[in-house]
Amino acid sequence: MSDEFYIKRCLELALLGMGHVSPNPMVGCVIVLNHKVIGEGYHQAYGQAHAEPNTVKAVFDRYGHEAEAMLKQATAYVSLEPCAHFGKTPPCADLFVKHQIKKVVIGNRDPFSSVDGKGIEKLKNAGIEVLTGVLEDECRYLNRRFFTRIQQQRPYIILKWAETANGYFATKGGQQKWITGALAKRLAHQWRTEEDAILIGKQTAITDNPQLTAREWPGKNPIRLVIDKNLQVPLSNHIFNTEAKTIIFNEIKTDIIGHVQYIQMEDMQFYLAQKIAFQLYLMDIQSVIIEGGANILNQFLSSNLWDEARIFSSSESWMEGIPSPVINGNLKEQVQIGNDQLSIYINNINK
């Protein structure tokens, strides 16, 4: 099998950590001897073992006392450069050096300054053959959230909304009215399990009284973020229940009451998108879904602070309503979700 084949398998394994490893990257590892996979592993949860030690352990669990000699003749494939520093776990590069792995094939380098190139250097200095850049673009795309946080000092920002066939986003009167069907809603709940946080504004919180949980898909709930300058959202609303942590950006107070955190900001009418993006970076929130309303979405669009937009288009039309935001990005994919069409746009200006 080719190097690309095994790196693809690393990516499949890495994806199993989606929603559990942030703010770490998702990483998969495969160890091969004589064209046979002798161990697989991935980074399963933040603070726990990385992909490499999980894979080495799998080899020892399977082959016992034979494992040490096998590793010395084996090739390790890993989707991201093995770490070279002590964090919550020991350096993975040191583990490969300890077991005298014969060769290491790497998808892409780690952009984190404590690692970038240092893991590769450790391996090479130990006499290990190293090959890098295999399926580099695919590996980078998998960890686009991690790369954005490290390189741009902000979270990966996903805009999400639904619009009618004739381009309306919400009712003029402020009443709640569903645009998309049940399948689109279920998919949106799956997305919530995959990202760190979800953001709405005060008006959406009051009008729709959303729960912002992933109740229709197995997995964790995202952190709920609400922009409420003057603390006008009633405490009886769903966002204050105990289903998930809630953060309220406001101009009045900084406080923590149970699972609700209040973060005071100054002059929220100026550069709000930039202020929120930087605050989330400081809090190690690596990705966020912004669900609106139109005012919040347009602030991030006009500031060019977005990476991906996921737009559901209904087959139904309304007589009147609030016009949808206008997206200016590259269409990456279109797929039919029940009676609705999902269009995914990528903002290549930030890449």
Side-chain angles (χ1 to χ4, degrees):
M1 297 296 182
S2 66
D3 291 336
E4 288 82 3
F5 175 86
Y6 292 117
I7 290 294
K8 281 182 180 178
R9 179 57 182 160
C10 289
L11 293 175
E12 291 173 354
L13 292 165
L15 200 57
L16 297 175
M18 171 72 82
H20 303 289
V21 302
S22 177
N24 284 351
M26 294 176 282
V27 183
C29 181
V30 176
I31 297 180
V32 177
L33 178 62
N34 297 328
H35 308 291
K36 177 184 177 183
V37 173
I38 61 173
E40 292 186 334
Y42 66 98
H43 185 29
Q44 298 179 16
Y46 177 70
Q48 296 183 15
H50 290 182
E52 296 91 333
N54 283 336
T55 308
V56 169
K57 181 180 182 299
V59 176
F60 275 94
D61 287 347
R62 185 173 182 181
Y63 294 100
H65 65 277
E66 299 176 14
E68 196 67 58
M70 295 174 74
L71 288 171
K72 291 179 181 179
Q73 298 300 316
T75 297
Y77 293 85
V78 61
S79 54
L80 188 69
E81 177 181 2
C83 61
H85 66 296
F86 281 90
K88 291 186 178 295
T89 60
C92 295
D94 288 0
L95 180 69
F96 283 167
V97 171
K98 172 188 172 184
H99 291 291
Q100 300 173 21
I101 297 282
K102 185 177 181 180
K103 181 178 178 180
V104 178
V105 179
I106 297 168
N108 57 5
R109 286 171 58 144
D110 191 322
F112 186 49
S113 59
S114 296
V115 181
D116 191 7
K118 297 180 178 68
I120 294 169
E121 184 180 7
K122 273 192 175 187
L123 297 173
K124 288 183 175 180
N125 288 343
I128 296 172
E129 182 184 353
V130 179
L131 176 64
T132 62
V134 177
L135 297 184
E136 186 172 7
D137 290 344
E138 290 88 337
C139 292
R140 182 186 176 93
Y141 184 74
L142 176 80
N143 277 314
R144 57 197 183 277
R145 299 161 180 83
F146 176 72
F147 274 81
T148 299
R149 183 175 69 89
I150 296 298
Q151 295 178 332
Q152 299 190 43
Q153 289 78 55
R154 64 167 178 82
Y156 187 83
I157 297 171
I158 300 168
L159 308 180
K160 180 253 174 183
W161 71 82
E163 60 188 31
T164 64
N166 55 341
Y168 289 126
F169 172 84
T171 61
K172 277 189 174 180
Q175 69 270 30
Q176 186 181 30
K177 187 175 181 181
W178 284 103
I179 295 176
T180 55
L183 284 177
K185 181 180 180 182
R186 186 168 170 80
L187 179 58
H189 282 220
Q190 178 188 341
W191 292 340
R192 292 176 182 180
T193 69
E194 297 172 350
E195 312 304 336
D196 287 354
I198 184 168
L199 172 73
I200 61 170
K202 172 203 71 177
Q203 201 56 50
T204 299
I206 292 174
T207 302
D208 295 348
N209 191 16
Q211 299 181 55
L212 302 185
T213 59
R215 57 199 177 277
E216 294 198 14
W217 193 267
K220 67 168 182 59
N221 290 323
I223 297 171
R224 300 176 292 200
L225 309 172
V226 183
I227 300 169
D228 186 8
K229 180 179 175 180
N230 297 311
L231 299 182
Q232 294 174 283
V233 180
L235 293 176
S236 59
N237 278 33
H238 293 316
I239 58 165
F240 292 105
N241 66 29
T242 57
E243 295 295 317
K245 179 179 180 179
T246 298
I247 297 173
I248 310 292
F249 297 110
N250 69 97
E251 285 191 355
I252 295 175
K253 67 178 181 179
T254 294
D255 198 2
I256 297 177
I257 302 174
H259 62 285
V260 180
Q261 181 177 0
Y262 295 87
I263 295 179
Q264 186 177 14
M265 290 182 166
E266 294 183 354
D267 300 322
M268 292 179 69
Q269 68 270 33
F270 301 115
Y271 304 108
L272 180 60
Q274 291 89 336
K275 289 176 180 176
I276 287 176
F278 186 62
Q279 181 64 49
L280 297 181
Y281 167 74
L282 295 177
M283 299 172 72
D284 272 343
I285 291 177
Q286 188 161 260
S287 62
V288 59
I289 301 173
I290 299 178
E291 286 208 356
N295 177 42
I296 299 301
L297 287 164
N298 281 320
Q299 287 198 52
F300 279 86
L301 283 166
S302 62
S303 302
N304 198 37
L305 269 177
W306 66 280
D307 299 284
E308 191 175 323
R310 302 173 181 177
I311 305 168
F312 287 109
S313 298
S314 170
S315 57
E316 295 185 12
S317 295
W318 290 356
M319 294 294 293
E320 62 176 4
I322 297 172
S324 301
V326 177
I327 193 74
N328 182 19
N330 290 345
L331 180 64
K332 180 177 184 292
E333 184 181 4
Q334 280 188 321
V335 60
Q336 197 69 24
I337 309 293
N339 293 325
D340 307 308
Q341 184 179 70
L342 170 64
S343 300
I344 298 178
Y345 292 85
I346 300 294
N347 182 3
N348 285 327
I349 295 175
N350 287 327
K351 301 299 175 279

